[in-house]
Amino acid sequence: MANQLNLSIDRSSPVPLYHQVVQGIEAAIHTGVLPPGSRLDNEIDLAAQLNLSRPTMRKAMDELVRSGLLVRKRGVGTQVVSSQVRRPLELSSLFDDLSNNAAKPTTDVLTFSHDEADDPTREALHLPPGAMVYHFTRLRKVGGKPLALMENWVRDDITPLTEELLGSQGLYSVLRNGGVNFRLATQRIGAVVANEYQATQLDTVPGSALVTMERTAVDDTGRNVETGHHVYRADSYSFEMTLVQR
């Protein structure tokens, strides 16, 4: 395996030995030498092939698992995970981003209601007492595999929403067709560990890492149009951003 991946260790380099292994396997994954689903030799064999100690090799593998490139599966071994969905950090919908990158997203609408807004929702959307909102939960999949569990609240004075619409189109596409011109959004990104419900829906295990995103979007008239709380499988999803110095 080490020879197949062209892994080589330079003991005179200032780069730690474990990190040289990390860099070599990362390169193999990104260049396609190790495609998604590939199985790696066990740590003892890899350590022997590279003439490294087992703790050094284990540290390298732990780093790759933490970064989401490898996964350990009981009874299977260590495998390369599926390629991540890398999403630019901008005011767009997940459905649109996936479609624009030639993915074929599908949506299961898990819950859907048209109810009076509770206090947190009224505050987030700047609504008066008694205002009604659409409240729904969707499961977004790519290639049949769950990627995101999304809960949203949308003010109901814009355009009618139905389960059928939300199951076939992205939310932002539906709202744009209803006349919304999105202007800006406040957004918070974080992380949690999956609870039983999230793990079941996202086909993972309780306690696994999830990326979280909370967003409230505003249109060009100043209306807070929608607010949402989303969770994504961390082994399949990441945000990308460009930072500039001011």
Side-chain angles (χ1 to χ4, degrees), residues 51-65:
N51 195 26
L52 294 172
S53 69
R54 186 178 178 186
T56 296
M57 181 56 63
R58 184 167 188 81
K59 186 174 182 180
M61 303 300 273
D62 286 346
E63 181 73 19
L64 291 161
V65 169

Side-chain angles (χ1 to χ4, degrees), residues 107 109-113 136 161-169:
T107 305
V109 180
L110 304 179
T111 65
F112 181 86
S113 63
F136 45 89
L161 296 182
T162 66
E163 292 185 58
E164 291 72 25
L165 271 176
L166 295 169
S168 61
Q169 302 179 42

Side-chain angles (χ1 to χ4, degrees), residues 36 64-73 79-86 145-148 202-205 208-211 232-238:
L64 291 161
V65 169
R66 281 195 298 270
S67 67
L69 294 175
L70 300 180
V71 62
R72 292 187 177 102
K73 295 183 178 180
Q79 288 183 294
V80 178
V81 301
S82 299
S83 299
Q84 281 199 338
V85 173
R86 299 181 182 274
K145 296 181 179 180
L147 173 65
L202 293 171
D203 193 22
T204 186
V205 298
S208 59
L210 301 177
V211 177
Y232 309 82
R233 286 185 55 139
D235 60 356
S236 305
Y237 189 87
S238 63

Side-chain angles (χ1 to χ4, degrees), residues 107-116 132-139 150-156 159-169 171 174-175 197:
T107 305
D108 296 339
V109 180
L110 304 179
T111 65
F112 181 86
S113 63
H114 184 206
D115 300 314
E116 183 176 331
M132 303 288 286
V133 293
Y134 294 105
H135 177 206
F136 45 89
T137 306
R138 295 164 296 156
L139 181 65
M150 307 175 293
E151 183 175 17
N152 290 82
W153 295 260
V154 181
R155 57 191 304 151
D156 78 340
T159 188
L161 296 182
T162 66
E163 292 185 58
E164 291 72 25
L165 271 176
L166 295 169
S168 61
Q169 302 179 42
L171 173 59
V174 173
L175 293 176
Y197 174 73

